[in-house]
Amino acid sequence: MTESTAQPNRMPPLRSWWLTASLIALNILVFVYGLLIGIDAFSPNNLDILKLGANFAPLTATGDIWRLFSSMFIHIGVLHLLVNMWALYIFGSYTEFYFGRKFYAAMYLLCGVMGSIASTWWNLPAAEAMLSQELPQQLPAISAGASGAIMGLGGALLIAAWRPRADLPITARLNLKMLITLMLINLAIGLLIPNIDNAAHMGGAVTGILLAWLFTFSHQTGHAQQPAYVAIRWAGVLIVA
């Protein structure tokens, strides 16, 4: 993420992004738990990831609704974890500052869950085939990781860069062209590399864009803290939920 003007080349103080740090820590703790119960750090097998709580459409669509949430905190190997946690720090620390912690927390969870729902819906034909006792030619991919939530944060930051808050100084605003480039690169990687859950990415990104637009609307009017506009923001969150 590149800002529109030069910024100090140092990490912001932890107190300004402690919620992001907590989310990173939670993902790491789940990964460490997987290691403790015998899951391979580099090449975990599908059955182990499934037992840990990954999203698998035939199971999720037939009762394991909890997988929509649990899969957000499970990663398929240490490289997957490191890439996602770096992206979470980059996107999350600014999202936490821009949207505030409460809205950020709601946005993160909803983008992740909506990404899981999109993934399940995309693989639903295979789930229906299993329900009718017809074995599909190819089972849908097992989905796990924070990517849906992170892409949601990226989508939200696109809105934040496009229509920045009126109370922000120029030095705290984002470079829209750079953000668009980063999002397009992420989408291109998902299309070019096999076994990446693009449905989860798109579901998270669209949710983040919608929620951020609701948030930004109230700031553009100059009445961000008035009860009516606060209610509009949280009504949007509840509708998505």
Side-chain angles (χ1 to χ4, degrees), residues 55-155:
N55 186 20
F56 186 51
L59 293 179
T60 306
T62 55
D64 286 0
I65 302 298
W66 54 272
R67 293 182 184 275
L68 297 174
F69 177 80
S70 62
S71 60
M72 295 167 51
F73 301 96
I74 297 168
H75 288 83
I76 306 174
V78 67
L79 181 60
H80 187 207
L81 175 71
L82 292 175
V83 169
N84 271 356
M85 293 307 97
W86 173 245
L88 178 53
Y89 165 69
I90 295 296
F91 286 145
S93 56
Y94 191 87
T95 306
E96 185 171 348
F97 155 72
Y98 185 94
F99 293 97
R101 290 193 177 99
K102 291 180 181 178
F103 199 84
Y104 164 53
M107 184 186 300
Y108 182 89
L109 293 175
L110 284 175
C111 288
V113 169
M114 288 299 290
S116 296
I117 290 172
S119 173
T120 303
W121 171 80
W122 185 256
N123 291 305
L124 202 55
E128 291 174 342
M130 293 191 77
L131 285 173
S132 63
Q133 298 182 345
E134 298 173 8
L135 288 176
Q137 293 292 324
Q138 205 170 24
L139 289 177
I142 290 175
S143 177
S147 301
I150 293 168
M151 287 294 285
L153 301 183

